[in-house]
Amino acid sequence: GLSFLLGYQVRRGALLLVVFLVSAAVTMHRFWGVADPMMAQGQFINFWKNIVIAGGLLIIYHYVTRYPERWPYSLGR
């Protein structure tokens, strides 16, 4: 998160957060193994929340890769 704030190696920070979020979604929010329907629904929501945030980070990764000089929070500005 600090890489976004400081504009330092944003691509690397985005990829590390994507790896973390996807692995946390798969290991922590195992909605397919929960017997209680309410608990399963909560885990399902949190699972997809992590996946969607990872998708947004991939969009940021693409933007920073394609237009590195236009990243508004870079240290060079």
Side-chain angles (χ1 to χ4, degrees), residues 33-56:
V34 178
D36 181 27
M38 294 298 287
M39 292 288 288
Q41 182 178 9
Q43 293 299 324
F44 180 80
I45 290 169
N46 287 326
F47 175 85
W48 282 107
K49 179 187 64 169
N50 282 4
I51 298 300
V52 168
I53 292 170

